[in-house]
Amino acid sequence: GQNIDQPTEMTATEGAIVQINCTYQTSGFNGLFWYQQHAGEAPTFLSYNVLDGLEEKGRFSSFLSRSKGYSYLLLKELQMKDSASYLCAVRWSNYQLIWGAGTKLIIKP
Amino acid sequence: GAGVSQSPSNKVTEKGKDVELRCDPISGHTALYWYRQSLGQGLEFLIYFQGNSAPDKSGLPSDRFSAERTGGSVSTLTIQRTQQEDSAVYLCASSSGEGLDTQYFGPGTRLTVL
């Protein structure tokens, strides 16, 4: 079967750093995506990893280890507007993605 | 440029009625996806359209669900004889169909079946 796991909820403090983990088991692998979804809004694209290693984009970084079936999203200098759900998704075919249930991130002042 | 749009944003219906949900993808995007998002669960794939190819309907949960894409652009998801378990947010996404092929999502339609 195919499976993606990520924590249901995390809490962090404004200005701090948080790491959201994602583990996956899929029949194929053609890249891993992270999306951000604010409550009641559409998911928006954050990052894409297809090779092992770290991709940095401003305050956000994403890491991938294909051999371990593992990724994380690192958010630095947290701001209140970062309060949202973060969705991990793996493209397991040419076009199909399997999605995690999302990690709700709560930022406290 | 305009993003993906969906209508209606909210739909409340009675059990047993039919509903139609509309999606307008980003202009020029050849790929279009429908997903269902229920509380506490990952996005559930429903159907995929790519250009003039036959759609991938493998995610449709029952024969009460169907979708069309006219002229390679607008898509309509139809749910017949709605049931309470159909209550969810229905999201549409489009992509260029090439390269990174990032999916861009519409705001969704929140369907409530009473």
Side-chain angles (χ1 to χ4, degrees), chain A residues 69-89:
Chain A
Y70 169 70
S71 173
Y72 67 72
L73 181 68
L74 191 71
L75 292 74
K76 304 176 185 176
E77 301 168 13
L78 286 170
Q79 302 176 10
M80 297 304 292
K81 67 179 182 180
D82 297 330
S83 292
S85 287
Y86 291 85
L87 313 181
C88 173

Side-chain angles (χ1 to χ4, degrees), chain A residues 99, chain B residues 34-38 41-47 59-61:
Chain A
W99 295 79
Chain B
W34 282 99
Y35 292 96
R36 180 165 67 177
Q37 187 174 34
S38 302
Q41 298 182 21
L43 273 65
E44 176 188 5
F45 168 78
L46 297 178
I47 190 168
L60 295 178

